[in-house]
Amino acid sequence: MAVILPAPAKPLVVREVAILSNPRKLLLEQCKTLRELRQIHGHLIKSGLLFHLPFLAENLLESSALLLPNNLAYALKVFDQIPAPRTQAYNILIRAFILHHAPENALLLFDRMITSSIPPDKFTFSCALKACSRLKSLAHGREIHSLILRSGFGFEDFVINSLIHMYATCGEVGTARALFDGMPVKGVVTWNAMFAGYFKAGDWTDVVSLFREMLDSSAEFDQVTLISVLTACGRLGELNLGEWIYHYIEENGLKGNLNLVTCLVDMYAKCGQIDKAHNLFDEMPFKDVVAWSAMISGYTQLNQCKEALELFHRMQIANVDPNEVTMVSVLSACAVLGALETGQWVHSYIRRKRMQLTVNLGTALMDFYAKCGCIENSVEVFEKMPVKNSWSWTVLIKGLASNGCGREALKFFSAMQEANEQPSDVTFVCVLSACSHAGLINEGQLFFDSMTQEYGIQPRIEHYGCMVDILGRSGLLEEAYDLIRRMPIEPNAVIWRTLLSSCKIHKNVEFAEESLKQLVKLDPGHSGDYILLSSIYASVGRWEDAVIVRNQMKEKGIKKTPGCSLIEMDGMIHEFFAEESAHPLSKEIYEKIEEMVSKIKLAGYVPNLAEARLDAEEDEKEVSVSHHSEKLAIAFGLIKSQPGSVIRVSKNLRVCTDCHLATKLISKVYQRDIVVRDRNRFHHFRDGDCSCNDYW
Ligand code: ZN
Ligand code: ZN
């Protein structure tokens, strides 16, 4: 080799010989630090080797760009010193840009390569297509596709796989499929590229049918394939195929693959087979956050929220850090249960770890606070969210409306319109319910009209339900009834139940009887409707009719849904049913109730005998109004919580008239804020008043 070597310094003698005999080995394996690399780089420049032996320069580039961490800047310097970089040099740097999350630079370099007439090879094309996928740049991807065809690489499997991946990622799943179908022989990588495309597009049905095609053609699949297919099975509830894969995994000894087992757990949980999911989960020797999240969200989706939170506590004990998916599931379980403490722990965790309040996480947090009756916290979270979408605004408006802040809700609706955020049909349900809570009849009508005229949203049954509520609530029962008769959709049970509730407030027997007549046809087993009509009779002194309605209900074998109230204390959920004594503290609780009743009697409480008498069932022991589940829960709250703290109870049924009055007085006598969430809304009791203004 006609290279004149200058006289080197002592330690480099060894290296010099080594560099020339096997430069790749020396540079790639022995340079562990940037310092060593610089030393050799300097020597190669001094000796002139770098400019005469392009492969040396490429090896140096590969070391600095790909093997040593964080030396991309240095690599760029090396690249600039190469007089005429070859394809290999470009490939190294393009790959490095992708690894360093700079796909736009990868494409810039690719363009420079083309304009400098350096011929790309299959690796260049594959990397450039990967950059397009990352940037979701379909236009650029198409350009590269035509270059590929012109340079004769259109038949390389390796390149076609990258094309399939690029088209699928950029949303052109059809084009990806056409390329896929055009390949005479498909390896597992090709199949997986197609699976990944359907997966990214959320085309779960196509994932499953592609897998069936794969089985029919006896193509080999691997674990990557199975992960896509199991996910799809979970989304579609395809239990049969999921079970088939389960047996395949078991028979082929793949149960050691934790990713696969986690997907199985997720599949079973999403298909509602929570016990099977739990068994697999328990067998896992090591459970990562994905496995825990799959299990927790499985319980949340089945509305088994207590189990979800128990599992979350186990996860905390196991010292596994939750991720965003875990926290969204946990927050939605907390929202259902009214578990404020656990949800607050999640919020403080987010702050402690300085996690980003993404739209999903922030909106889940807002929804949780609103459903626990802490509407100020919900608004605060909303204001701190860096990015909001239409759903975040809707959750905010909904929370304000159900917490009795109708006017606030409407203010935020105007702000939403000013922010150019498109309201959805659900947003309008929330806006109308805000009008109803605030007693704004005219505004409600205007919003109802503008929904169709300005936003082109056709009213659904929920929107009519809100209008019936707005009219009925303000005493316009005739108008409400008229609207039900005129609406173009067949009224459902909810609509008539709304009218029935309005009749209770305005003590209107005529429309109440008509509502129950309709309700018996539409939803005959609903005990609450009979109880409402019977208490309307009682409220106007028609005792006999009240008893007749109750008896009709009994004759038809309709059972009252047992009232159940939940209260959270020190992270534990306590459940109370009317008249029960299963709680370990039940002696103290019943003593506390006696004390409560005698104290509020001094403040003017008269037990509502109408409800008590109607509830008396001759064949059972007399159900006393003072032992309704929310009174038990409130008594427990008074015993166990700090003086002055807020007592929060959530109940499965409507609060009865007696409990509502009693709770108002308890809030005054004991100087406690009490928040009761019943089936429909929040009651914030403070100093003898309730936020619902006695309309619920
Ligand atoms: Zn009650
Ligand atoms: Zn109330």
Side-chain angles (χ1 to χ4, degrees):
M1 216 168 277
V3 177
I4 303 147
L5 297 179
K10 264 254 167 204
L12 277 167
V13 176
V14 186
R15 284 214 168 136
E16 201 163 293
V17 177
I19 288 172
L20 285 173
S21 64
N22 195 346
R24 191 174 159 81
K25 190 168 168 38
L26 182 82
L27 279 166
L28 302 191
E29 289 175 17
Q30 294 191 358
C31 283
K32 300 288 185 230
T33 64
L34 184 62
R35 221 184 115 234
E36 285 171 328
L37 198 73
R38 274 183 205 277
Q39 229 180 346
I40 295 182
H41 184 193
H43 176 69
L44 291 176
I45 292 175
K46 257 188 273 163
S47 63
L49 283 174
L50 192 65
F51 310 108
H52 295 98
L53 301 173
F55 65 89
L56 264 184
E58 282 150 17
N59 288 161
L60 188 68
L61 194 61
E62 193 172 348
S63 290
S64 53
L66 297 171
L67 297 174
L68 290 175
N70 306 323
N71 285 310
L72 196 53
Y74 191 74
L76 286 173
K77 228 189 282 172
V78 174
F79 185 82
D80 284 339
Q81 282 170 353
I82 304 176
R86 306 187 299 177
T87 305
Q88 283 84 339
Y90 278 98
N91 284 357
I92 291 166
L93 214 50
I94 290 176
R95 225 175 103 208
F97 277 132
I98 290 175
L99 285 174
H100 286 81
H101 309 290
E104 55 289 326
N105 288 346
L107 286 182
L108 283 175
L109 195 62
F110 177 78
D111 288 345
R112 177 166 144 196
M113 186 176 178
I114 301 299
T115 42
S116 324
S117 303
I118 309 293
D121 63 11
K122 62 177 183 177
F123 299 106
T124 329
F125 282 127
S126 166
C127 281
L129 288 170
K130 203 174 271 174
C132 299
S133 302
R134 296 270 172 90
L135 293 167
K136 297 215 180 344
S137 169
L138 184 62
H140 225 124
R142 283 209 177 106
E143 272 169 39
I144 295 174
H145 190 178
S146 63
L147 263 175
I148 290 171
L149 295 177
R150 268 181 276 147
S151 16
F153 282 96
F155 299 99
E156 285 268 2
D157 286 3
F158 186 72
V159 177
I160 302 178
N161 288 341
S162 304
L163 275 171
I164 291 175
H165 188 265
M166 182 278 293
Y167 278 115
T169 316
C170 296
E172 290 272 305
V173 187
T175 315
R177 181 65 198 234
L179 282 165
F180 175 84
D181 288 336
M183 282 173 90
V185 185
K186 305 174 185 77
V188 67
V189 179
T190 308
W191 285 93
N192 284 347
M194 201 56 233
F195 277 115
Y198 286 138
F199 191 99
K200 286 220 172 76
D203 293 339
W204 309 115
T205 325
D206 290 321
V207 170
V208 168
S209 56
L210 188 66
F211 187 61
R212 294 197 198 278
E213 270 174 58
M214 200 176 188
L215 293 178
D216 288 343
S217 65
S218 307
E220 295 257 339
F221 52 87
D222 64 5
Q223 308 190 358
V224 178
T225 324
L226 292 181
I227 285 175
S228 300
V229 182
L230 278 174
T231 309
C233 289
R235 300 295 173 108
L236 296 171
E238 275 272 357
L239 187 58
N240 286 340
L241 184 58
E243 293 249 292
W244 184 88
I245 296 177
Y246 169 78
H247 291 300
Y248 178 89
I249 289 173
E250 206 165 40
E251 279 156 24
N252 290 278
L254 296 173
K255 269 183 121 176
N257 183 324
L258 293 183
N259 285 337
L260 268 183
V261 180
T262 303
C263 285
L264 279 173
V265 169
D266 185 56
M267 180 277 293
Y268 276 124
K270 288 214 169 70
C271 290
Q273 304 280 314
I274 200 81
D275 294 337
K276 281 192 186 158
H278 210 147
N279 287 341
L280 275 171
F281 177 77
D282 279 342
E283 281 170 20
M284 288 174 85
F286 171 78
K287 305 169 177 69
D288 65 0
V289 58
V290 183
W292 284 98
S293 295
M295 208 53 230
I296 291 173
S297 67
Y299 278 119
T300 313
Q301 277 154 17
L302 288 174
N303 218 7
Q304 300 189 13
C305 296
K306 251 181 96 175
E307 287 78 1
L309 290 194
E310 271 161 23
L311 205 62
F312 178 58
H313 290 308
R314 259 178 69 197
M315 175 179 170
Q316 287 171 296
I317 293 165
N319 249 330
V320 178
D321 283 343
N323 64 13
E324 186 177 325
V325 181
T326 330
M327 291 194 287
V328 168
S329 296
V330 168
L331 285 170
S332 80
C334 291
V336 171
L337 294 171
L340 184 63
E341 286 174 36
T342 307
Q344 277 172 332
W345 184 91
V346 172
H347 191 183
S348 71
Y349 183 88
I350 295 169
R351 278 189 289 225
R352 218 165 48 235
K353 297 271 170 174
R354 296 176 195 278
M355 289 178 72
Q356 226 213 322
L357 263 190
T358 57
V359 174
N360 270 341
L361 190 56
T363 309
L365 199 56
M366 282 168 58
D367 190 43
F368 148 74
Y369 273 125
K371 287 197 174 132
C372 285
C374 305
I375 191 63
E376 303 86 1
N377 299 73
S378 182
V379 177
E380 201 185 308
V381 171
F382 176 80
E383 274 159 0
K384 283 205 178 121
M385 280 165 66
V387 182
K388 308 160 172 86
N389 62 13
S390 167
W391 182 235
S392 333
W393 284 94
T394 303
V395 165
L396 177 76
I397 293 167
K398 181 172 159 224
L400 286 163
S402 68
N403 278 279
C405 314
R407 284 178 191 276
E408 270 304 279
L410 295 183
K411 256 186 234 159
F412 276 105
F413 181 58
S414 312
M416 178 181 185
Q417 289 168 308
E418 275 162 34
N420 273 327
E421 201 65 74
Q422 188 70 17
S424 67
D425 54 339
V426 182
T427 318
F428 276 101
V429 172
C430 303
V431 167
L432 292 175
S433 99
C435 293
S436 143
H437 282 280
L440 303 168
I441 309 168
N442 292 337
E443 285 85 346
Q445 191 65 57
L446 285 175
F447 285 127
F448 186 82
D449 296 340
S450 84
M451 174 173 84
T452 317
Q453 287 157 12
E454 277 177 53
Y455 293 95
I457 300 171
Q458 286 310 311
R460 287 186 290 117
I461 194 113
E462 286 85 352
H463 301 106
Y464 284 105
C466 289
M467 287 312 292
V468 170
D469 194 45
I470 290 176
L471 296 168
R473 184 177 275 247
S474 44
L476 299 169
L477 294 168
E478 245 346 303
E479 285 82 347
Y481 181 74
D482 234 39
L483 179 64
I484 297 178
R485 284 292 170 212
R486 277 190 293 114
M487 59 192 252
I489 313 167
E490 196 63 35
N492 63 6
V494 178
I495 297 270
W496 289 110
R497 199 163 288 139
T498 306
L499 185 64
L500 184 60
S501 301
S502 305
C503 292
K504 167 149 199 218
I505 307 302
H506 299 290
K507 298 186 180 168
N508 185 310
V509 174
E510 186 197 345
F511 289 120
E513 284 171 340
E514 172 65 15
S515 305
L516 188 71
K517 212 196 284 171
Q518 301 293 338
L519 279 164
V520 168
K521 282 189 231 156
L522 293 165
D523 184 10
H526 203 276
S527 59
D529 302 333
Y530 290 88
I531 293 166
L532 259 180
L533 180 61
S534 119
S535 60
I536 293 171
Y537 281 132
S539 68
V540 296
R542 289 170 60 175
W543 301 104
E544 275 174 26
D545 289 325
V547 174
I548 289 171
V549 173
R550 291 276 168 144
N551 286 342
Q552 274 175 356
M553 177 176 132
K554 249 197 279 174
E555 278 158 23
K556 289 181 184 163
I558 299 166
K559 289 250 169 358
K560 279 183 72 176
T561 312
C564 171
S565 295
L566 303 178
I567 183 167
E568 187 191 34
M569 202 56 74
D570 301 324
M572 285 267 294
I573 304 289
H574 298 258
E575 234 172 356
F576 293 93
F577 290 92
E579 284 287 294
E580 88 168 347
S581 49
H583 197 274
L585 282 181
S586 88
K587 191 168 164 281
E588 286 92 328
I589 292 169
Y590 282 98
E591 280 168 11
K592 191 74 182 179
I593 288 184
E594 272 181 41
E595 178 204 298
M596 269 165 32
V597 171
S598 59
K599 280 199 180 174
I600 58 178
K601 270 185 179 158
L602 292 176
Y605 167 70
V606 182
N608 189 326
L609 291 177
E611 309 243 358
R613 190 157 69 188
L614 286 166
D615 270 321
E617 315 246 330
E618 301 88 56
D619 47 344
E620 286 171 63
K621 68 178 170 183
E622 189 163 307
V623 178
S624 157
V625 274
S626 62
H627 296 159
H628 279 180
S629 67
E630 59 266 56
K631 290 204 185 83
L632 298 179
I634 291 170
F636 176 74
L638 283 174
I639 296 170
K640 293 291 282 185
S641 63
Q642 295 295 320
S645 63
V646 181
I647 295 176
R648 294 169 197 280
V649 173
S650 47
K651 195 188 176 190
N652 64 337
L653 305 174
R654 287 162 57 98
V655 177
C656 80
T657 317
D658 183 75
C659 287
H660 198 265
L661 174 64
T663 311
K664 284 204 286 188
L665 294 168
I666 293 167
S667 74
K668 184 175 183 175
V669 171
Y670 288 87
Q671 280 299 301
R672 286 291 193 105
D673 281 15
I674 302 173
V675 181
V676 177
R677 180 176 82 182
D678 75 5
R679 209 180 54 203
N680 297 321
R681 56 177 46 79
F682 279 95
H683 302 271
H684 290 254
F685 295 97
R686 173 180 282 178
D687 205 24
D689 283 318
C690 180
S691 62
C692 76
N693 289 324
D694 298 337
Y695 191 113
W696 75 97

